[in-house]
Amino acid sequence: MVPPALAQEAPVAAPPVAAAPVEHVYVALTTSAGVIVLDLDKTHAPLTVANFLKYVDSKRFDGANFYRAMHIDWGEQPNGLLQGGLQGVNVLPPVAHEPTNITGISHKAGTISMARFAPGSATADFTIMLGDIPSLDAKPDSDNPDTRAGFAAFGHVVSGMDVVRKIWDEPRSATKGDGVMKGQMLEPMVKIVSARRLAGPPTPP
């Protein structure tokens, strides 16, 4: 028998490291078709969220439009994206690009992401996913700089996906739109009446 004083003590497991709390910012987009509430992830996409809030707080989104509804026929339906914003009018300087492999925010159904041309050119226009579109996530191993960067996702819809779907289903022009966007432009566009911060998440019905 081993004397108690010589017995080895069982190793004490280290307490689990708590995940850093996420700072959420809630924004209500009041549109002519209803209200969409966004949960923006300020912890993981701080630059993109700060840029979006500049437009909210300065009321630049008031009177803007949802103007594009891209429908895609692959994946679980409905699938595609809804795009809105200022279309280059009265915009602030571009925001630095925050890729999904850094933020960890993927392009799932309901995700809000920045529209852009080249990486680092995003200003005020944004998209909301109708379905999962992983092709918009960053692909760090790609030889294509655009694919490598992906698009900057920064939050998701927490209320009003029915409104998003309703707008996405609105009529589209057969002739408007340039390049790949031809046939994707809403006609008429759907007005964003206002965009305002909320004190907290929406109350469940």
Side-chain angles (χ1 to χ4, degrees):
M1 180 176 180
V2 179
L6 299 180
Q8 292 184 344
E9 294 183 0
V12 178
V17 178
V22 175
E23 184 177 354
H24 301 269
V25 182
Y26 298 93
V27 171
L29 299 179
T30 300
T31 79
S32 56
V35 179
I36 302 164
V37 180
L38 307 172
D39 176 353
L40 308 183
D41 188 339
K42 190 175 180 181
T43 299
H44 296 100
L47 300 179
T48 313
V49 170
N51 174 73
F52 190 83
L53 291 175
K54 287 178 183 178
Y55 289 94
V56 171
D57 295 339
S58 62
K59 301 183 180 179
R60 291 179 187 235
F61 281 139
D62 294 14
N65 295 290
F66 281 108
Y67 58 86
R68 179 190 178 203
M70 182 183 79
H71 291 233
I72 52 181
D73 57 10
W74 52 261
E76 186 174 345
Q77 297 298 313
N79 203 8
L81 57 79
L82 179 66
Q83 186 167 332
L86 298 177
Q87 295 178 271
V89 178
N90 195 28
V91 297
L92 301 170
V95 60
H97 183 66
E98 292 180 308
T100 58
N101 61 308
I102 300 298
T103 64
I105 308 171
S106 297
H107 288 83
K108 304 288 189 181
T111 297
I112 181 170
S113 182
M114 294 305 297
R116 62 162 177 80
F117 293 105
S121 67
T123 55
D125 289 34
F126 58 92
T127 59
I128 298 175
M129 308 300 114
L130 270 292
D132 296 352
I133 312 182
S135 60
L136 299 184
D137 289 348
K139 306 292 189 296
D141 296 331
S142 174
D143 293 332
N144 184 317
D146 194 68
T147 303
R148 188 163 58 241
F151 288 79
F154 61 104
H156 65 280
V157 174
V158 288
S159 177
M161 274 303 292
D162 58 328
V163 178
V164 173
R165 174 68 186 272
K166 180 180 178 181
I167 299 171
W168 182 75
D169 278 331
E170 288 293 313
R172 292 167 287 157
S173 168
T175 57
K176 290 182 179 177
D178 297 325
V180 297
M181 293 197 296
K182 185 175 181 179
Q184 299 179 0
M185 311 308 284
L186 293 173
E187 190 173 45
M189 296 183 289
V190 175
K191 187 72 67 180
I192 299 173
V193 179
S194 67
R196 298 289 184 272
R197 294 198 199 209
L198 298 177
T203 304

PDB file of all heavy atoms in Angstrom, residues 25-29 36-40 52 110 112 126 128 154 156-159:
ATOM      1  N   VAL A  25     -25.253  44.083 -32.932  1.00  0.00           N
ATOM      2  CA  VAL A  25     -25.923  45.354 -33.196  1.00  0.00           C
ATOM      3  C   VAL A  25     -27.139  45.043 -34.060  1.00  0.00           C
ATOM      4  O   VAL A  25     -27.018  44.371 -35.091  1.00  0.00           O
ATOM      5  CB  VAL A  25     -25.010  46.358 -33.927  1.00  0.00           C
ATOM      6  CG1 VAL A  25     -25.740  47.680 -34.128  1.00  0.00           C
ATOM      7  CG2 VAL A  25     -23.715  46.579 -33.158  1.00  0.00           C
ATOM      8  N   TYR A  26     -28.303  45.498 -33.614  1.00  0.00           N
ATOM      9  CA  TYR A  26     -29.545  45.197 -34.327  1.00  0.00           C
ATOM     10  C   TYR A  26     -30.019  46.423 -35.102  1.00  0.00           C
ATOM     11  O   TYR A  26     -29.999  47.540 -34.586  1.00  0.00           O
ATOM     12  CB  TYR A  26     -30.618  44.733 -33.342  1.00  0.00           C
ATOM     13  CG  TYR A  26     -30.244  43.461 -32.620  1.00  0.00           C
ATOM     14  CD1 TYR A  26     -29.596  43.507 -31.380  1.00  0.00           C
ATOM     15  CD2 TYR A  26     -30.483  42.220 -33.186  1.00  0.00           C
ATOM     16  CE1 TYR A  26     -29.218  42.342 -30.721  1.00  0.00           C
ATOM     17  CE2 TYR A  26     -30.106  41.049 -32.546  1.00  0.00           C
ATOM     18  CZ  TYR A  26     -29.477  41.117 -31.308  1.00  0.00           C
ATOM     19  OH  TYR A  26     -29.100  39.967 -30.677  1.00  0.00           O
ATOM     20  N   VAL A  27     -30.426  46.185 -36.334  1.00  0.00           N
ATOM     21  CA  VAL A  27     -30.897  47.260 -37.206  1.00  0.00           C
ATOM     22  C   VAL A  27     -32.204  46.829 -37.859  1.00  0.00           C
ATOM     23  O   VAL A  27     -32.316  45.702 -38.365  1.00  0.00           O
ATOM     24  CB  VAL A  27     -29.857  47.585 -38.300  1.00  0.00           C
ATOM     25  CG1 VAL A  27     -30.448  48.540 -39.339  1.00  0.00           C
ATOM     26  CG2 VAL A  27     -28.593  48.190 -37.686  1.00  0.00           C
ATOM     27  N   ALA A  28     -33.182  47.720 -37.844  1.00  0.00           N
ATOM     28  CA  ALA A  28     -34.457  47.479 -38.518  1.00  0.00           C
ATOM     29  C   ALA A  28     -34.482  48.228 -39.844  1.00  0.00           C
ATOM     30  O   ALA A  28     -34.321  49.449 -39.875  1.00  0.00           O
ATOM     31  CB  ALA A  28     -35.619  47.924 -37.641  1.00  0.00           C
ATOM     32  N   LEU A  29     -34.654  47.472 -40.935  1.00  0.00           N
ATOM     33  CA  LEU A  29     -34.877  48.076 -42.244  1.00  0.00           C
ATOM     34  C   LEU A  29     -36.379  48.077 -42.488  1.00  0.00           C
ATOM     35  O   LEU A  29     -36.992  47.015 -42.674  1.00  0.00           O
ATOM     36  CB  LEU A  29     -34.187  47.263 -43.345  1.00  0.00           C
ATOM     37  CG  LEU A  29     -32.668  47.111 -43.288  1.00  0.00           C
ATOM     38  CD1 LEU A  29     -32.195  46.243 -44.453  1.00  0.00           C
ATOM     39  CD2 LEU A  29     -31.977  48.467 -43.315  1.00  0.00           C
ATOM     40  N   ILE A  36     -37.516  44.290 -41.960  1.00  0.00           N
ATOM     41  CA  ILE A  36     -36.463  43.277 -41.888  1.00  0.00           C
ATOM     42  C   ILE A  36     -35.528  43.672 -40.751  1.00  0.00           C
ATOM     43  O   ILE A  36     -35.031  44.801 -40.730  1.00  0.00           O
ATOM     44  CB  ILE A  36     -35.666  43.210 -43.202  1.00  0.00           C
ATOM     45  CG1 ILE A  36     -36.596  42.911 -44.391  1.00  0.00           C
ATOM     46  CG2 ILE A  36     -34.549  42.176 -43.117  1.00  0.00           C
ATOM     47  CD1 ILE A  36     -35.957  43.214 -45.742  1.00  0.00           C
ATOM     48  N   VAL A  37     -35.303  42.776 -39.795  1.00  0.00           N
ATOM     49  CA  VAL A  37     -34.408  43.074 -38.677  1.00  0.00           C
ATOM     50  C   VAL A  37     -33.101  42.295 -38.863  1.00  0.00           C
ATOM     51  O   VAL A  37     -33.103  41.081 -39.066  1.00  0.00           O
ATOM     52  CB  VAL A  37     -35.041  42.728 -37.324  1.00  0.00           C
ATOM     53  CG1 VAL A  37     -34.072  43.051 -36.184  1.00  0.00           C
ATOM     54  CG2 VAL A  37     -36.345  43.508 -37.133  1.00  0.00           C
ATOM     55  N   LEU A  38     -31.992  43.021 -38.778  1.00  0.00           N
ATOM     56  CA  LEU A  38     -30.660  42.455 -38.953  1.00  0.00           C
ATOM     57  C   LEU A  38     -29.926  42.347 -37.628  1.00  0.00           C
ATOM     58  O   LEU A  38     -30.033  43.238 -36.784  1.00  0.00           O
ATOM     59  CB  LEU A  38     -29.840  43.347 -39.891  1.00  0.00           C
ATOM     60  CG  LEU A  38     -30.463  43.692 -41.241  1.00  0.00           C
ATOM     61  CD1 LEU A  38     -29.608  44.746 -41.949  1.00  0.00           C
ATOM     62  CD2 LEU A  38     -30.612  42.453 -42.104  1.00  0.00           C
ATOM     63  N   ASP A  39     -29.172  41.276 -37.459  1.00  0.00           N
ATOM     64  CA  ASP A  39     -28.260  41.094 -36.328  1.00  0.00           C
ATOM     65  C   ASP A  39     -26.849  41.179 -36.899  1.00  0.00           C
ATOM     66  O   ASP A  39     -26.407  40.276 -37.618  1.00  0.00           O
ATOM     67  CB  ASP A  39     -28.510  39.730 -35.680  1.00  0.00           C
ATOM     68  CG  ASP A  39     -27.536  39.399 -34.551  1.00  0.00           C
ATOM     69  OD1 ASP A  39     -26.575  40.164 -34.344  1.00  0.00           O
ATOM     70  OD2 ASP A  39     -27.736  38.371 -33.886  1.00  0.00           O
ATOM     71  N   LEU A  40     -26.151  42.265 -36.614  1.00  0.00           N
ATOM     72  CA  LEU A  40     -24.815  42.495 -37.159  1.00  0.00           C
ATOM     73  C   LEU A  40     -23.757  42.055 -36.152  1.00  0.00           C
ATOM     74  O   LEU A  40     -23.847  42.385 -34.963  1.00  0.00           O
ATOM     75  CB  LEU A  40     -24.641  43.971 -37.516  1.00  0.00           C
ATOM     76  CG  LEU A  40     -25.737  44.577 -38.408  1.00  0.00           C
ATOM     77  CD1 LEU A  40     -25.405  46.025 -38.733  1.00  0.00           C
ATOM     78  CD2 LEU A  40     -25.932  43.761 -39.681  1.00  0.00           C
ATOM     79  N   PHE A  52     -21.356  49.897 -42.254  1.00  0.00           N
ATOM     80  CA  PHE A  52     -22.807  49.833 -42.457  1.00  0.00           C
ATOM     81  C   PHE A  52     -23.528  50.773 -41.503  1.00  0.00           C
ATOM     82  O   PHE A  52     -24.477  51.470 -41.898  1.00  0.00           O
ATOM     83  CB  PHE A  52     -23.270  48.383 -42.244  1.00  0.00           C
ATOM     84  CG  PHE A  52     -24.693  48.123 -42.659  1.00  0.00           C
ATOM     85  CD1 PHE A  52     -25.004  47.855 -43.970  1.00  0.00           C
ATOM     86  CD2 PHE A  52     -25.724  48.128 -41.727  1.00  0.00           C
ATOM     87  CE1 PHE A  52     -26.324  47.597 -44.367  1.00  0.00           C
ATOM     88  CE2 PHE A  52     -27.032  47.881 -42.105  1.00  0.00           C
ATOM     89  CZ  PHE A  52     -27.332  47.612 -43.424  1.00  0.00           C
ATOM     90  N   GLY A 110     -30.146  33.832 -45.188  1.00  0.00           N
ATOM     91  CA  GLY A 110     -30.379  34.918 -44.245  1.00  0.00           C
ATOM     92  C   GLY A 110     -29.169  35.778 -43.964  1.00  0.00           C
ATOM     93  O   GLY A 110     -29.296  36.831 -43.321  1.00  0.00           O
ATOM     94  N   ILE A 112     -26.338  38.559 -44.358  1.00  0.00           N
ATOM     95  CA  ILE A 112     -26.172  39.837 -45.058  1.00  0.00           C
ATOM     96  C   ILE A 112     -24.686  40.019 -45.361  1.00  0.00           C
ATOM     97  O   ILE A 112     -23.824  39.707 -44.533  1.00  0.00           O
ATOM     98  CB  ILE A 112     -26.731  41.031 -44.251  1.00  0.00           C
ATOM     99  CG1 ILE A 112     -26.550  42.343 -45.034  1.00  0.00           C
ATOM    100  CG2 ILE A 112     -26.110  41.117 -42.857  1.00  0.00           C
ATOM    101  CD1 ILE A 112     -27.278  43.536 -44.423  1.00  0.00           C
ATOM    102  N   PHE A 126     -25.536  46.135 -50.398  1.00  0.00           N
ATOM    103  CA  PHE A 126     -25.452  44.892 -49.636  1.00  0.00           C
ATOM    104  C   PHE A 126     -26.395  43.857 -50.224  1.00  0.00           C
ATOM    105  O   PHE A 126     -27.314  44.176 -50.991  1.00  0.00           O
ATOM    106  CB  PHE A 126     -25.796  45.146 -48.160  1.00  0.00           C
ATOM    107  CG  PHE A 126     -27.168  45.744 -47.947  1.00  0.00           C
ATOM    108  CD1 PHE A 126     -28.275  44.935 -47.732  1.00  0.00           C
ATOM    109  CD2 PHE A 126     -27.356  47.118 -47.981  1.00  0.00           C
ATOM    110  CE1 PHE A 126     -29.545  45.479 -47.557  1.00  0.00           C
ATOM    111  CE2 PHE A 126     -28.624  47.678 -47.801  1.00  0.00           C
ATOM    112  CZ  PHE A 126     -29.723  46.854 -47.582  1.00  0.00           C
ATOM    113  N   ILE A 128     -28.634  40.052 -49.326  1.00  0.00           N
ATOM    114  CA  ILE A 128     -29.179  39.122 -48.337  1.00  0.00           C
ATOM    115  C   ILE A 128     -29.391  37.791 -49.035  1.00  0.00           C
ATOM    116  O   ILE A 128     -30.035  37.728 -50.084  1.00  0.00           O
ATOM    117  CB  ILE A 128     -30.498  39.636 -47.734  1.00  0.00           C
ATOM    118  CG1 ILE A 128     -30.267  40.956 -46.984  1.00  0.00           C
ATOM    119  CG2 ILE A 128     -31.092  38.591 -46.779  1.00  0.00           C
ATOM    120  CD1 ILE A 128     -31.534  41.605 -46.456  1.00  0.00           C
ATOM    121  N   PHE A 154     -21.423  39.870 -42.804  1.00  0.00           N
ATOM    122  CA  PHE A 154     -21.247  40.549 -41.514  1.00  0.00           C
ATOM    123  C   PHE A 154     -22.448  40.465 -40.580  1.00  0.00           C
ATOM    124  O   PHE A 154     -22.509  41.157 -39.574  1.00  0.00           O
ATOM    125  CB  PHE A 154     -20.877  42.025 -41.743  1.00  0.00           C
ATOM    126  CG  PHE A 154     -21.902  42.849 -42.498  1.00  0.00           C
ATOM    127  CD1 PHE A 154     -22.719  43.743 -41.816  1.00  0.00           C
ATOM    128  CD2 PHE A 154     -22.030  42.748 -43.875  1.00  0.00           C
ATOM    129  CE1 PHE A 154     -23.652  44.528 -42.504  1.00  0.00           C
ATOM    130  CE2 PHE A 154     -22.944  43.526 -44.563  1.00  0.00           C
ATOM    131  CZ  PHE A 154     -23.761  44.419 -43.878  1.00  0.00           C
ATOM    132  N   HIS A 156     -26.793  38.589 -40.032  1.00  0.00           N
ATOM    133  CA  HIS A 156     -27.874  37.801 -40.610  1.00  0.00           C
ATOM    134  C   HIS A 156     -29.229  38.378 -40.220  1.00  0.00           C
ATOM    135  O   HIS A 156     -29.342  39.167 -39.269  1.00  0.00           O
ATOM    136  CB  HIS A 156     -27.774  36.338 -40.176  1.00  0.00           C
ATOM    137  CG  HIS A 156     -27.956  36.111 -38.706  1.00  0.00           C
ATOM    138  ND1 HIS A 156     -26.955  36.315 -37.784  1.00  0.00           N
ATOM    139  CD2 HIS A 156     -29.042  35.720 -37.992  1.00  0.00           C
ATOM    140  CE1 HIS A 156     -27.400  36.053 -36.571  1.00  0.00           C
ATOM    141  NE2 HIS A 156     -28.669  35.695 -36.669  1.00  0.00           N
ATOM    142  N   VAL A 157     -30.245  37.969 -40.944  1.00  0.00           N
ATOM    143  CA  VAL A 157     -31.611  38.392 -40.674  1.00  0.00           C
ATOM    144  C   VAL A 157     -32.156  37.593 -39.500  1.00  0.00           C
ATOM    145  O   VAL A 157     -32.069  36.357 -39.481  1.00  0.00           O
ATOM    146  CB  VAL A 157     -32.501  38.180 -41.918  1.00  0.00           C
ATOM    147  CG1 VAL A 157     -33.966  38.484 -41.603  1.00  0.00           C
ATOM    148  CG2 VAL A 157     -32.019  39.046 -43.070  1.00  0.00           C
ATOM    149  N   VAL A 158     -32.705  38.277 -38.488  1.00  0.00           N
ATOM    150  CA  VAL A 158     -33.305  37.580 -37.352  1.00  0.00           C
ATOM    151  C   VAL A 158     -34.825  37.696 -37.355  1.00  0.00           C
ATOM    152  O   VAL A 158     -35.497  36.987 -36.616  1.00  0.00           O
ATOM    153  CB  VAL A 158     -32.753  38.086 -35.997  1.00  0.00           C
ATOM    154  CG1 VAL A 158     -31.335  37.609 -35.790  1.00  0.00           C
ATOM    155  CG2 VAL A 158     -32.840  39.594 -35.870  1.00  0.00           C
ATOM    156  N   SER A 159     -35.353  38.566 -38.165  1.00  0.00           N
ATOM    157  CA  SER A 159     -36.804  38.707 -38.305  1.00  0.00           C
ATOM    158  C   SER A 159     -37.093  39.333 -39.658  1.00  0.00           C
ATOM    159  O   SER A 159     -36.396  40.258 -40.076  1.00  0.00           O
ATOM    160  CB  SER A 159     -37.366  39.590 -37.181  1.00  0.00           C
ATOM    161  OG  SER A 159     -38.757  39.809 -37.333  1.00  0.00           O
TER     162      SER A 159
END
